[in-house]
Amino acid sequence: MKRIQVVPGWSFRDESGNELNPQLFSLLAAIHEHGKLTAATKSVGISYRHGWNLLNTWAAFFGVPLVSMQKGKGATLTPLGDKLLWAKQRVVARLEPQLDSLTSQLNLEIHRALEGVSPLLRVHASYGYAVALLPEHASEIQLDLQYKSGEEALAALNRGVCDIAGFHVPIEGMSQAQIKKYGHYLKPRVHKVIQFITRRQGLIVKRDNPCEIQGLSDLLRDDVRFINRQEDSGTRTLLDELLRREKINPAKVSGYDDEEFTHSAVAAYVAAGMADVGIGVEAAARQFNLDFIPLSYERYLFVCHHRSLQQEAVIRFLEMIRTSQFYQAVRELPGYSPDLCGDVVGVEEALNQSSR
């Protein structure tokens, strides 16, 4: 089946309308990775001369150099070069859920225009690395995947707006407040839970952990800047519960009110040096070559009406996430496990597993 992907692009223009080459971002990323202009230009697939001219052109545009070149020490990004690189990463990371949702809608329309249309499955789910794998493996169904907060997804399921809702809960120590919140939407006689994956949440810190952060108590230090997730996210709920257990007042955490909207956006924020530590999944930390301090394991769950288990689209969905290919794709994500993926259990059993 034909699929398209929505990829954002950056454009810089001066006051005269002259547009500069977006290839600079690829070159800056390669310099950051390799530390040498020769290796960076080779990695990007351009000549050394072209790379050198590109850096000089942009340096003239901004009025300051983007790369520092020292004999015997290679090439390093200047503060502006570093900010430009990570600014792009942050924008892309922040827009991931919206872009993926738009991609899903466009691919759905393409699929509908083709002959032999497959069954439609509407999924509203909290954004995550494993959930983002679904479109790649959904060859037997039309997958309409829309990213929402866990609570929004469950509310949509109850309104009949989607067929499956996805959200995540702690594997151990789920608070009564969380059980009450999710229990408001989940009806044991109506719904069934599809086990999906487990993932590891923790603190994302700079490479080699220069601030020597060991746990949540270090967030109270004056020399530590924190970046949080948005208020309606499951990760924010998890953090608040962990802080409560350790009797840490969120108001005393520098940066608690500063928010990003995805795990990768938090990681990009830390990678850019705008914070010393953030909260997120291990896969995000590894994506940006950062270190990770585990705090808790979570179980990601899908919920559907029990009658939906007999629908062709849901049957094919279950077959898909039970395949060895999907299991392997999940295992390649740092901190993720597909154990029990595809198992169908009752609501009470699923919530009890997390409240022990």
Side-chain angles (χ1 to χ4, degrees):
M1 184 183 68
K2 300 291 185 182
R3 290 185 183 276
I4 64 170
Q5 184 178 6
V6 179
V7 179
W10 279 44
S11 177
F12 279 95
R13 295 180 177 87
D14 62 16
E15 63 277 6
S16 300
N18 298 313
E19 186 169 330
L20 299 178
N21 194 337
Q23 196 173 45
L24 174 77
F25 292 107
S26 299
L27 182 59
L28 292 178
I31 292 172
H32 176 77
E33 179 181 358
H34 298 287
K36 292 184 178 181
L37 183 57
T38 305
T41 53
K42 183 178 180 180
S43 173
V44 175
I46 60 177
S47 68
Y48 183 92
R49 181 186 181 89
H50 179 59
W52 179 260
N53 290 336
L54 197 61
L55 293 175
N56 286 334
T57 299
W58 280 76
F61 177 80
F62 288 107
V64 292
L66 304 181
V67 175
S68 175
M69 305 275 289
Q70 293 185 352
K71 189 174 182 179
K73 294 185 178 180
T76 57
L77 300 183
T78 65
L80 178 58
D82 196 57
K83 295 301 182 186
L84 280 175
L85 170 62
W86 295 114
K88 179 187 178 184
Q89 299 283 7
R90 287 181 57 220
V91 169
V92 172
R94 182 179 288 186
L95 293 176
E96 278 177 325
Q98 294 91 336
L99 292 176
D100 285 354
S101 293
L102 177 59
T103 297
S104 178
Q105 292 174 349
L106 293 175
N107 282 320
L108 182 62
E109 294 305 317
I110 292 173
H111 197 174
R112 283 173 170 167
L114 301 177
E115 295 181 0
V117 175
S118 303
L120 170 65
L121 184 67
R122 302 167 302 167
V123 178
H124 286 196
S126 174
Y127 184 78
Y129 285 80
V131 180
L133 295 174
L134 294 175
E136 303 173 25
H137 295 261
S139 59
E140 300 298 323
I141 56 175
Q142 295 182 79
L143 182 63
D144 182 9
L145 175 59
Q146 300 297 314
Y147 289 117
K148 310 287 183 180
S149 72
E151 198 166 357
E152 287 174 335
L154 290 170
L157 178 68
N158 279 290
R159 296 196 310 270
V161 177
C162 65
D163 305 302
I164 291 179
F167 68 108
H168 51 92
V169 296
I171 284 184
E172 294 182 356
M174 188 174 176
S175 68
Q176 290 302 312
Q178 288 174 298
I179 294 175
K180 182 178 180 181
K181 179 175 72 172
Y182 291 126
H184 173 72
Y185 300 100
L186 300 174
K187 302 173 177 61
R189 295 185 179 180
V190 175
H191 296 121
K192 287 292 184 180
V193 173
I194 301 169
Q195 305 270 23
F196 189 45
I197 53 92
T198 58
R199 66 185 189 182
R200 191 155 60 173
Q201 288 256 36
L203 298 177
I204 298 173
V205 298
K206 296 176 182 177
R207 189 68 175 172
D208 299 323
N209 196 6
C211 292
E212 298 182 345
I213 295 169
Q214 303 299 319
L216 291 173
S217 61
D218 289 308
L219 301 185
L220 297 172
R221 287 164 39 190
D222 292 336
D223 62 333
V224 171
R225 298 166 300 163
F226 180 68
I227 178 65
N228 207 347
R229 287 291 307 279
Q230 77 274 23
E231 190 172 0
D232 64 347
S233 69
T235 298
R236 175 70 164 267
T237 300
L238 172 66
L239 173 68
D240 289 345
E241 176 61 22
L242 295 176
L243 292 176
R244 184 190 66 78
R245 292 181 201 169
E246 295 199 21
K247 296 181 173 56
I248 295 175
N249 183 354
K252 295 184 178 181
V253 176
S254 176
Y256 177 85
D257 293 325
D258 296 332
E259 301 175 347
E260 280 291 356
F261 290 82
T262 65
H263 295 282
S264 51
V266 167
Y269 201 95
V270 174
M274 301 176 68
D276 302 298
V277 56
I279 180 78
V281 295
E282 184 175 357
R286 305 308 178 200
Q287 178 185 354
F288 289 89
N289 197 29
L290 300 170
D291 283 353
F292 180 78
I293 302 167
L295 292 178
S296 177
Y297 282 90
E298 286 185 320
R299 193 184 312 279
Y300 198 109
L301 306 172
F302 286 119
V303 182
C304 67
H305 196 286
H306 70 87
R307 289 196 299 267
S308 298
L309 293 172
Q310 309 304 318
Q311 295 177 359
E312 185 65 23
V314 176
I315 292 173
R316 294 189 185 186
F317 175 80
L318 289 172
E319 291 173 348
M320 176 187 74
I321 64 174
R322 290 168 179 165
T323 62
S324 59
Q325 292 88 346
F326 189 78
Y327 266 51
Q328 181 59 34
V330 172
R331 289 193 181 100
E332 291 175 0
L333 297 172
Y336 278 70
S337 170
D339 294 346
L340 305 179
C341 185
D343 286 3
V344 179
V345 299
V347 169
E348 293 176 337
E349 179 181 349
L351 293 183
N352 287 338
Q353 285 176 342
S354 299
S355 61
R356 294 169 185 167

